[in-house]
């Protein structure tokens, strides 16, 4: 969503890049994370955006892949948001995260 890439979003992205402790390089296109999943003993959960430019077309593939490691996977898709789902749909993501970890929600 071009409207979500406001001045604050661009500033945050630039600062995050500047402060990164490592360069992700080829991690997104490698199988390094896939090879690590069998050793994960924690509960897996995921939040994706339906309109993510990188993953959008492959969301169901991601769901199936992660569920192959944990059948009770909590996997959620936020409609209408893109790659910056945490920024674009902060309220929905926060509510999903709180629900996933079982935290009580604060009422306004």
């Amino acid at each position: 969503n071009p409207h979500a890439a406001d001045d604050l979003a661009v500033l945050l992205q630039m600062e995050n890049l500047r402060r990164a402790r490592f360069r992700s390089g080829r991690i997104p296109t490698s199988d390094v994370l896939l090879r690590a999943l069998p050793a994960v003993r924690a509960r897996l959960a995921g939040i994706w955006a339906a309109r993510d430019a990188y993953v959008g077309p492959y969301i169901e593939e991601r769901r199936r892949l992660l569920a192959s490691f944990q059948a009770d996977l909590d996997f959620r898709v936020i409609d209408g948001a893109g790659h910056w789902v945490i920024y674009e749909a902060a309220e929905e993501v926060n509510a999903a995260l709180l629900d996933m970890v079982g935290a009580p929600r604060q009422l306004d």
Side-chain angles (χ1 to χ4, degrees):
N1 179 354
H3 301 291
D6 58 16
D7 290 342
L8 178 58
V10 172
L11 174 66
L12 291 171
Q13 179 66 10
M14 297 305 293
E15 282 299 304
N16 286 337
L17 286 171
R18 186 179 68 76
R19 294 176 184 199
R21 294 182 188 179
F22 71 96
R23 301 292 177 228
S24 60
R26 294 188 206 141
I27 289 175
T29 58
S30 75
D31 68 346
V32 69
L33 297 176
L34 180 62
R35 288 184 285 125
L37 282 173
V40 173
R41 298 292 173 245
R43 182 174 56 110
L44 293 178
I47 298 174
W48 267 264
R51 298 184 66 200
D52 188 305
Y54 299 101
V55 180
Y58 312 104
I59 287 179
E60 285 307 313
E61 178 183 318
R62 296 294 197 273
R63 181 192 312 263
R64 283 190 303 275
L65 177 69
L66 292 172
S68 73
F69 292 96
Q70 285 188 11
D72 63 342
L73 170 73
D74 190 347
F75 188 100
R76 304 187 190 194
V77 178
I78 306 293
D79 290 326
H83 188 66
W84 291 358
V85 65
I86 295 170
Y87 186 85
E88 294 176 48
E91 288 184 25
E92 289 177 76
V93 170
N94 287 340
L97 286 170
L98 288 172
D99 189 50
M100 287 172 154
V101 298
R105 294 186 183 169
Q106 291 183 338
L107 301 175
D108 291 329

